[in-house]
Amino acid sequence: MFVETGAINAPRIHYEQVVHDALGVVWRHRQLVMITVVLAQAAFLVAFMFMASRYTGEATIQLDFVRNENVAGERLQSTAAVDAAAVVDSSARIIRSRGTASAVVSALRLDQDPDYARPGRLERALSHVWPYLGAHPAPTPRELAITRLMKQITVTNDPRSYLIAIAVTTSNPQRAANLANWVASEYLRGRLRAQATEAYAAAERELAGLSAVLGPRHPTYVGAQAKLERLKEVMEGAEKNPAFDNQDSAPARDMVRFAAGQTLLPAEAVMVPSGPNGPLLFALTLLAALALGGLLSLLAERRQRRRLARRQGH
């Protein structure tokens, strides 16, 4: 029984001894560890001083699965019978898609903004090498703008509350809020366009049936024709793609339409920076410095033992 207990405890005793020896080595070289920590924290403070503050603007879209909505006077069926979680998830996927970012780039002409359309230093350096490597050609300013805007967008959704949060992080608080509103409004404009197109097709079929039964002079036919014209105006309005000279322009009031069952809660400029997170970066730097100091201590101990072995050999 004693032998079995000793065999079971042997690995634990071995690892405890390894840890004890490692801590002893670090303690003997504690001056090296402290120097490593001080140098790492000094480098962190210098780098932190040059880090640009980041601000986040967040717009919220609320999906309503209970009430009915009207598009150009036409009542649309509520989507309560549809799986709400699936609808919220699919809407979030559309918002974070490249198509939505592309629509915002077109509306704000971000492909003409140097902050979005100018390639980085590494990309400019690689652009001279790509032709010789047979790689793909350098991305266009529009592709660069879409990619960088997508990196700034964060979309989160909660199926239980039917809310979709659209956050955009930039170096300017007002720009972050406006970009979040533009992303949300472009998504809503696409939804309104799809709903108006569907309603217009249904109104066309209804008008054709009334024309065959009642004739073009009947009041019911005239009312259906007026409804078709209203739907056409809504559809054409949703197709329009307003353009502004810079991304700090807020979405026009008549452009932010409420698609059926979806309401926009616009973002406001938040002057408190959302990053960088100084305490977290300080803690991570400290942990990395301690790990590096421990590694250097082990290497220094090994080097000393080799020197001692050589002296004893001679």
Side-chain angles (χ1 to χ4, degrees):
M1 186 67 180
F2 176 77
V3 177
E4 293 180 356
T5 304
I8 293 175
N9 293 332
R12 179 176 61 83
I13 297 174
H14 169 72
Y15 287 117
E16 287 179 352
Q17 186 64 37
V18 170
V19 173
H20 181 269
D21 294 341
L23 292 177
V25 170
V26 173
W27 179 251
R28 285 194 297 271
H29 297 275
R30 55 187 179 276
Q31 185 175 5
L32 176 62
V33 176
M34 291 303 299
I35 293 175
T36 304
V37 171
V38 171
L39 291 177
Q41 294 299 341
F44 163 75
L45 292 176
V46 172
F48 189 78
M49 292 175 59
F50 291 95
M51 289 182 182
S53 298
R54 298 193 303 270
Y55 301 87
T56 300
E58 182 176 281
T60 303
I61 293 179
Q62 182 178 17
L63 281 71
D64 192 340
F65 297 96
V66 179
R67 67 172 186 238
N68 293 332
E69 297 287 345
N70 292 316
V71 175
E74 288 303 301
R75 186 170 294 276
L76 299 181
Q77 291 288 335
S78 174
T79 57
V82 183
D83 184 2
V87 174
V88 174
D89 185 65
S90 62
S91 299
R93 288 175 179 269
I94 294 174
I95 294 172
R96 67 170 65 97
S97 68
R98 193 175 183 86
T100 301
S102 177
V104 176
V105 168
S106 297
L108 300 179
R109 299 175 183 170
L110 294 182
D111 53 346
Q112 301 177 16
D113 190 320
D115 293 338
Y116 287 86
R118 183 170 54 192
R121 295 180 180 178
L122 179 60
E123 294 171 335
R124 290 197 298 268
L126 291 176
S127 63
H128 301 289
V129 182
W130 282 337
Y132 301 99
L133 299 179
H136 296 289
T140 63
R142 178 177 178 80
E143 292 172 344
L144 288 173
I146 293 173
T147 301
R148 291 184 180 176
L149 178 60
M150 292 181 68
K151 291 180 180 179
Q152 295 176 337
I153 300 173
T154 302
V155 181
T156 56
N157 58 284
D158 185 1
R160 294 174 296 179
S161 60
Y162 309 145
L163 294 177
I164 301 176
I166 306 168
V168 177
T169 302
T170 67
S171 59
N172 183 285
Q174 188 61 53
R175 177 179 297 180
N178 288 334
L179 282 174
N181 289 332
W182 272 101
V183 172
S185 60
E186 282 296 327
Y187 160 75
L188 290 176
R189 192 164 64 88
R191 293 297 302 159
L192 179 65
R193 180 170 59 247
Q195 293 166 357
T197 301
E198 181 181 355
Y200 184 83
E204 274 190 325
R205 293 192 296 270
E206 179 185 2
L207 187 64
L210 292 175
S211 176
V213 176
L214 302 177
R217 297 181 180 277
H218 196 277
T220 304
Y221 178 88
V222 175
Q225 192 172 27
K227 178 180 69 175
L228 188 67
E229 291 298 325
R230 290 196 302 271
L231 288 172
K232 184 177 180 180
E233 292 178 0
V234 173
M235 191 166 57
E236 291 177 350
E239 288 288 347
K240 292 180 180 179
N241 190 5
F244 290 84
D245 292 334
N246 59 76
Q247 61 268 38
D248 293 332
S249 301
R253 182 177 298 273
D254 58 349
M255 194 200 93
V256 182
R257 304 175 186 272
F258 292 167
Q262 304 188 49
T263 305
L264 171 63
L265 306 176
E268 296 182 356
V270 178
M271 307 309 295
V272 179
S274 58
N277 191 332
L280 177 60
L281 293 176
F282 179 85
L284 293 176
T285 304
L286 179 61
L287 292 176
L290 289 174
L292 178 61
L295 179 60
L296 293 177
S297 299
L298 295 175
L299 294 176
E301 182 72 14
R302 180 178 297 181
R303 187 175 181 181
Q304 287 182 359
R305 290 180 179 179
R306 288 180 178 176
R307 287 181 178 178
L308 181 60
R310 290 175 182 176
R311 290 177 182 176
Q312 292 176 351
H314 290 293

